[in-house]
Amino acid sequence: MTSRLRPLFVGVDRYVLRACGMRGIPAVVVYGPYWRDSGLPELPDCVTPVFVENECSAEAVLTALTRAGLGEERFASVTTTNEYALINVAVLAQALGCPGISPAVAVRFRDKHLQKEAVRARGIPTARSIVLEDIHDDEIPELPFEAGVIKPVTGAATRQTATVRSTDELRQAVRRFRSEGGSARTFVVEEFQQGDEWLVDGVIHDGEIRFLSVAEYTHTCLSVVESQATMQDRRFDSATEAWAFRLAEPVVRAALEALDLTDGIFHMELFHHEGEVSFSECAARRGGFVQEQVECKFGVDLGDAALSLALGEAPDVTVRERPGIVGGTYITSPPGVLFGVPSQDEVMGLPNVEYVLLGHLVGASLPVSTSDTTKRVGEVVITTETLEEFHKRSEEVLAWFADRITVIPAGTKGRDLHRMQSALGYDTRLMATYRREDG
């Protein structure tokens, strides 16, 4: 009897690792400096961790595996939920001789211009786009659209993204991105798409969509960054809002076929405008802030499904749909140094709150503005009977947090810190004393 091959996971996905522990599935996870510095989640005994300098480097992963005595191991597959490691995982699958996404498919899921070209070639409505090969070049072309969106061609989380409505605005955006000194140099300029932004999260196996969840953002991802709005979304109900699934599913199915994804978890974004749906982007991974909402609304564990797919098995995506509204909102705060947040027990004691993640440690420096859609102090999942109640409860939860998050503004002067001591619960006197014993 031969033992089952272990899957290799590049990057930490706590939901997949949780599924390994619950099912007793041995696995190997390679993880980079972010997790080394911020702290790995508690790993099941059946999971072997291996530190690598760079999750996105085949050299770093292969050398680390070899040092750990795993260089000759045959793996069941190699997968990742790290957006930036996707092409590396495709290369590793070929190098290690195990199942995994192919380099050609990985490229289509990383390059936004190539992705839209592949989708457009199948007749699926999507934005036109042009590529700026190097934003440090002197020559910037004329904006070919009435309005466009500029972003890194392999970017994520709406980072370094801006709306441009003229050639002058395009050149201003380029100059700004140059001055920021980011690593991205190749950008894409896409035609601006009208409408509400939808997100679709699902599971595909053997070319068949086994599970589909459709949701809507309260504000588009771009408006969250440009107007500093609060990131918020909610899941459509497949019974009472079946119309949304009917509109989305044909576009989702056709796009996945065009991109040639046959097995995996996917996160797709669409635009809905006047009863028509167009394609925006798609990632071959689970979306952020999706696991808990999908599990709460549909009873489907995307982490467990990803583990099954990594083992070459059909995932269990039996739907047990919860009626009503399930959605989530980010918790934001003023900039400065985080001094205090409410406890998780306090948050979970609030009405209608089903899940909370407080993602910053006390002492963390909070940014002046929301530079991308990952910036937040925390996030909560809220359940209500109606959409109106959901928005009302979201506002109440945000107001509750605003009264209980303590942030010390960066650069606060000594005299101001002195005035703040009593409000922060400290004695305003200097912390100095002397015990004197007279003979």
Side-chain angles (χ1 to χ4, degrees):
M1 179 178 178
T2 58
S3 60
R4 167 185 271 173
L5 299 180
R6 296 190 291 181
L8 173 63
F9 300 116
V10 176
V12 174
D13 185 321
R14 63 180 183 272
Y15 307 107
V16 176
L17 298 178
R18 179 185 67 181
C20 288
M22 292 174 63
R23 293 167 56 178
I25 302 295
V28 175
V29 58
V30 296
Y31 67 97
Y34 170 82
W35 291 102
R36 186 69 162 240
D37 296 339
S38 60
L40 282 172
E42 186 174 350
L43 298 178
D45 293 338
C46 56
V47 172
T48 301
V50 177
F51 173 71
V52 297
E53 289 186 327
N54 185 354
E55 294 175 11
C56 302
S57 163
E59 176 185 90
V61 173
L62 291 173
T63 55
L65 287 173
T66 302
R67 287 194 303 271
L70 303 173
E72 300 299 321
E73 178 162 348
R74 292 180 58 226
F75 293 100
S77 65
V78 55
T79 57
T80 188
T81 51
N82 178 347
E83 174 71 23
Y84 299 101
L86 186 65
I87 290 181
N88 183 38
V89 159
V91 172
L92 287 170
Q94 288 198 343
L96 296 169
C98 64
I101 193 169
S102 75
V105 174
V107 164
R108 285 194 287 274
F109 276 91
R110 287 292 293 126
D111 187 296
K112 299 178 188 298
H113 175 73
L114 294 176
Q115 183 174 98
K116 282 185 166 58
E117 289 297 295
V119 168
R120 174 181 296 283
R122 295 291 185 94
I124 303 165
T126 191
R128 294 172 294 169
S129 65
I130 62 170
V131 174
L132 305 183
E133 189 174 78
D134 187 350
I135 61 168
H136 289 268
D137 288 344
D138 293 332
E139 294 297 322
I140 301 299
E142 297 287 321
L143 179 67
F145 319 119
E146 183 176 340
V149 177
I150 180 173
K151 62 184 73 170
V153 74
T154 58
T158 323
R159 192 171 292 114
Q160 286 195 302
T161 301
T163 304
V164 290
R165 301 188 182 279
S166 67
T167 300
D168 283 343
E169 287 189 4
L170 173 61
R171 290 169 180 163
Q172 289 171 18
V174 167
R175 286 195 293 270
R176 174 160 63 89
F177 294 150
R178 285 176 186 166
S179 68
E180 291 174 354
S183 60
R185 293 182 59 149
T186 302
F187 279 65
V188 63
V189 182
E190 300 174 351
E191 188 176 18
F192 183 83
Q193 290 179 275
Q194 296 281 353
D196 303 322
E197 191 168 11
W198 287 4
L199 56 156
V200 180
D201 299 281
V203 179
I204 186 168
H205 178 53
D206 284 343
E208 179 185 347
I209 296 176
R210 301 299 179 94
F211 168 75
L212 202 66
S213 165
V214 185
E216 65 173 351
Y217 291 112
T218 300
H219 308 281
T220 66
C221 294
L222 186 55
S223 67
V224 165
V225 174
E226 292 190 329
S227 65
Q228 300 295 287
T230 300
M231 190 76 173
Q232 188 179 87
D233 63 354
R234 65 96 182 184
R235 302 281 136 183
F236 284 114
D237 188 282
S238 65
T240 62
E241 297 170 306
W243 61 272
F245 289 79
R246 287 196 298 270
L247 285 176
E249 186 170 351
V251 177
V252 173
R253 191 177 302 280
L256 292 176
E257 289 176 359
L259 298 172
D260 200 23
L261 184 69
T262 58
D263 288 272
I265 311 295
F266 64 88
H267 175 73
M268 189 180 296
E269 291 175 345
L270 308 172
F271 280 99
H272 170 247
H273 183 61
E274 297 180 348
E276 300 290 331
V277 170
S278 58
F279 174 86
S280 176
E281 293 182 1
C282 188
R285 56 166 172 79
R286 191 191 62 252
F289 198 20
V290 165
Q291 171 80 23
E292 292 80 12
Q293 289 188 35
V294 167
E295 198 165 349
C296 183
K297 177 64 179 175
F298 298 101
V300 172
D301 183 341
L302 293 177
D304 184 79
L307 175 58
S308 292
L309 292 170
L311 296 170
E313 301 172 354
D316 178 7
V317 287
T318 305
V319 173
R320 298 173 295 278
E321 188 163 359
R322 175 179 186 158
I325 304 298
V326 173
T329 185
Y330 278 4
I331 306 301
T332 57
S333 74
V337 177
L338 184 63
F339 186 84
V341 293
S343 70
Q344 293 199 7
D345 288 342
E346 288 179 289
V347 185
M348 291 300 293
L350 297 175
N352 305 101
V353 171
E354 296 287 337
Y355 167 84
V356 59
L357 170 67
L358 299 178
H360 277 287
L361 299 174
V362 169
S365 295
L366 304 178
V368 173
S369 61
T370 300
S371 59
D372 59 65
T373 56
T374 67
K375 303 303 182 187
R376 78 280 194 197
V377 173
E379 54 197 46
V380 293
V381 172
I382 296 171
T383 60
T384 58
E385 292 186 6
T386 67
L387 186 56
E388 292 73 22
E389 289 174 331
F390 170 74
H391 289 305
K392 180 174 182 291
R393 287 298 299 129
S394 296
E395 292 175 3
E396 291 170 347
V397 169
L398 289 172
W400 183 89
F401 264 96
D403 289 338
R404 289 163 178 81
I405 292 178
T406 304
V407 175
I408 300 176
T412 302
K413 303 299 182 183
R415 68 176 63 182
D416 297 317
L417 287 173
H418 190 270
R419 294 192 193 103
M420 293 169 62
Q421 296 304 297
S422 58
L424 295 173
Y426 290 96
D427 196 318
T428 57
R429 295 171 296 179
L430 289 176
M431 296 179 188
T433 188
Y434 172 63
R435 184 182 299 279
R436 179 178 177 183
E437 295 181 7
D438 295 322

